[in-house]
Amino acid sequence: MPKFEFIVFDFDGTIADTRRGVFDSIIYALTSYGYEVPDESVLNSFLGPPLYESFKKTTGCTDEMAHTLTAKYRELYTDNAMYRLNLFDGIEEMLKEMKANGIKMAIASSKPEKFFSKLLKHLGITEYFDVVCGASLGDIHNTKQAIIARAMEELSAEKDKTLMVGDRVFDIDGAKQNGIKSAGVVFGFDYTEELENAGADFIVKTTEELLKEVL
């Protein structure tokens, strides 16, 4: 029997490297309204939180402008930038092994839910997920805690048998707020210190290491 019967995954930075499409869309939105092209550290800060919050924090703009920038971002992202992504090494093999062991899997992401059917089909991994939960367009209250909770509810997941897998503090905090264990992954981007400070139950460097912790 696997150690966990239910696994909830973050998407960006955990399942796939989505930086190119995300960064291109951020730059497109900001420069369209006269903001300077941000450096890489600023662009990286957009990976994880809701877009609305990131635009507001980065620019110091009004609520109205944050909504405007988010809408502009989605012009390019929805048109074609969303497909500028790739799976991290070993992800599909890992998902296949988990599925074969009877684990129920979900995605809980701050990315809008309307995009996921297209993205998962594009990546060829639709079959592995029983539930996909994302943010609702226009709702600024899509916290990671709430999205994880919804994923667990749709999975009918028991807290003591559920693991949250993510690469940022938001994933670890969301897991804690829902009373479940968390795994920090650094096979995409190395946020080891952030994950340690957030209190991840364990941190893995490869998909093989994650499998060993789960099975």
Side-chain angles (χ1 to χ4, degrees):
M1 287 288 293
K3 299 171 189 174
F4 298 96
E5 295 181 20
F6 308 93
I7 300 182
V8 180
F9 287 94
D10 174 48
F11 186 75
D12 296 57
T14 300
I15 294 293
D17 182 352
T18 59
R19 287 179 300 178
R20 182 183 168 204
V22 170
F23 290 179
D24 287 351
S25 301
I26 293 167
I27 292 168
Y28 171 74
L30 291 173
T31 55
S32 293
Y33 288 94
Y35 294 100
E36 293 183 357
V37 175
D39 61 29
E40 188 172 352
S41 64
V42 173
L43 290 171
N44 280 326
S45 73
F46 276 77
L47 299 174
L51 276 172
Y52 168 87
E53 293 180 9
S54 294
F55 278 125
K56 193 169 182 183
K57 181 179 179 180
T58 299
T59 65
C61 66
T62 63
D63 289 351
E64 183 179 3
M65 178 53 74
H67 284 298
T68 299
L69 288 167
T70 299
K72 197 68 176 177
Y73 168 100
R74 290 189 175 128
E75 279 184 16
L76 181 64
Y77 189 80
T78 306
D79 182 40
N80 61 54
M82 64 187 287
Y83 297 112
R84 301 171 193 172
L85 79 171
N86 58 273
L87 292 175
F88 291 119
D89 290 344
I91 288 292
E92 185 166 7
E93 294 81 1
M94 179 192 73
L95 294 174
K96 185 176 182 179
E97 186 69 19
M98 289 178 177
K99 193 76 170 179
N101 279 273
I103 296 172
K104 300 294 184 183
M105 291 179 281
I107 288 176
S109 171
S110 296
K111 187 182 292 297
E113 193 168 310
K114 64 173 288 186
F115 297 141
F116 272 110
S117 61
K118 296 178 181 179
L119 288 177
L120 298 183
K121 184 177 180 181
H122 176 74
L123 292 168
I125 58 172
T126 304
E127 65 186 288
Y128 300 114
F129 295 100
D130 302 280
V131 168
V132 175
C133 291
S136 300
L137 289 173
D139 185 352
I140 66 172
H141 303 294
N142 286 293
T143 65
K144 201 57 181 278
Q145 176 186 1
I147 296 170
I148 293 171
R150 183 155 52 90
M152 290 176 63
E153 182 179 0
E154 293 187 21
L155 275 179
S156 298
E158 300 173 47
K159 289 185 178 182
D160 61 344
K161 298 178 181 179
T162 304
L163 177 70
M164 176 68 203
V165 179
D167 70 314
R168 300 299 305 272
V169 60
F170 317 101
D171 305 310
I172 309 307
D173 285 348
K176 286 183 176 180
Q177 290 158 349
N178 280 287
I180 62 175
K181 289 191 174 181
S182 60
V185 300
V186 295
F187 43 69
F189 314 121
D190 192 352
Y191 292 108
T192 299
E193 184 176 358
E194 177 180 308
L195 292 167
E196 288 176 343
N197 291 339
D201 290 290
F202 52 90
I203 296 173
V204 296
K205 296 180 180 179
T206 66
T207 54
E208 290 81 8
E209 285 184 21
L210 182 55
L211 271 175
K212 288 178 182 178
E213 294 286 352
V214 169
L215 300 181

